Amino acid sequence: VTISNEMVLETMDALRQLDGVAVMRAPYEADAQLVHLARHTDVAAVLTEDSDLVAHGVDKVLLRLDRVTNDVLLVERKALFSFSTRGFSMRGFTDDMLLEMCVLAGVDYLESPRGLSIVKANQFIGAHKTGPRVIKFIKNFRNRQIKVPPGYEKAYQRALASFRHQRVWSVAARKVLPLSLPPDSLFLPARARA
């Protein structure tokens, strides 16, 4: 579905007519703006079409709204970290491990390496704790079922940075800010970081 600027403006105008409804437009990515609002304002839950907000660590995410039955899947961050089933466990995971698992499995900013499912990404992060260690392990792994494409490591780091440091509108500061402050090393040339 393609959403035009005209459709967005018409929807915003219609919503402004409702009592008690505040309307804002994200300066860049809507997901990042929703994460910011969930972290810094009184938001009970965020309804979304995809699971990127789960990767962001939003406390309560509503997924897969059925427009006929109004059924929805509630994913609660606290419960997520105690979830375990055969072959997939979130026990012992941190917010960073969750994000790195999701990026490895494929997100809007980066496709997963061929053959790397969410289940495999979960198992690898559980064993190796970070994405770079997982990527190194996969590249050295004798069973070549998972193919890491050239340049994937840098693309992976860019995807993580995109998740962590996207620009959002801060209602409190009344200006555009990063979702979280990037480390100084993010702005250093590659050879200075080595």
Side-chain angles (χ1 to χ4, degrees):
V1 174
T2 302
I3 308 290
S4 70
N5 190 47
E6 185 177 299
M7 292 167 69
V8 171
L9 294 174
E10 285 179 18
T11 302
M12 290 174 71
D13 286 342
L15 290 170
R16 283 189 182 103
Q17 304 305 313
L18 301 173
D19 287 334
V21 176
V23 179
M24 73 177 331
R25 186 173 186 177
Y28 297 97
E29 284 285 330
D31 283 348
Q33 187 67 54
L34 292 169
V35 171
H36 175 77
L37 291 170
R39 289 179 183 170
H40 299 287
T41 62
D42 190 21
V43 171
V46 178
L47 176 65
T48 183
E49 288 292 320
D50 64 34
S51 58
D52 282 357
L53 293 175
V54 175
H56 272 293
V58 171
D59 285 338
K60 292 182 182 179
V61 179
L62 302 170
L63 294 168
R64 301 187 192 127
L65 173 65
D66 185 311
R67 292 184 175 116
V68 175
T69 65
N70 290 327
D71 288 340
V72 68
L73 173 66
L74 170 63
V75 178
E76 292 185 86
R77 191 173 140 273
K78 285 181 182 177
L80 186 65
F81 289 128
S82 63
F83 179 79
S84 184
T85 190
R86 187 172 176 216
F88 190 96
S89 178
M90 296 297 296
R91 289 192 181 133
F93 270 53
T94 64
D95 285 326
D96 283 338
M97 290 169 73
L98 169 64
L99 175 58
E100 295 200 32
M101 176 191 75
C102 292
V103 172
L104 284 169
V107 291
D108 290 347
Y109 307 112
L110 183 66
E111 287 186 28
S112 67
R114 192 181 69 197
L116 183 58
S117 66
I118 188 71
V119 172
K120 283 285 185 199
N122 170 265
Q123 292 167 353
F124 287 147
I125 286 290
H128 302 284
K129 307 302 181 211
T130 70
R133 288 181 187 159
V134 170
I135 295 165
K136 184 177 180 180
F137 173 78
I138 292 171
K139 288 177 100 173
N140 294 329
F141 193 42
R142 299 268 182 246
N143 182 343
R144 302 282 183 203
Q145 292 177 347
I146 301 170
K147 307 290 184 203
V148 177
Y152 182 80
E153 295 92 333
K154 285 184 181 179
Y156 174 83
Q157 291 301 331
R158 281 193 304 272
L160 279 179
S162 293
F163 259 95
R164 291 178 173 144
H165 312 299
Q166 291 179 64
R167 297 173 61 119
V168 297
W169 176 256
S170 169
V171 176
R174 304 206 38 80
K175 64 181 179 180
V176 175
L177 298 172
L179 187 57
S180 64
L181 291 174
D184 290 338
S185 64
L186 196 62
F187 300 108
L188 294 174
R191 64 180 177 277
R193 278 185 260 149

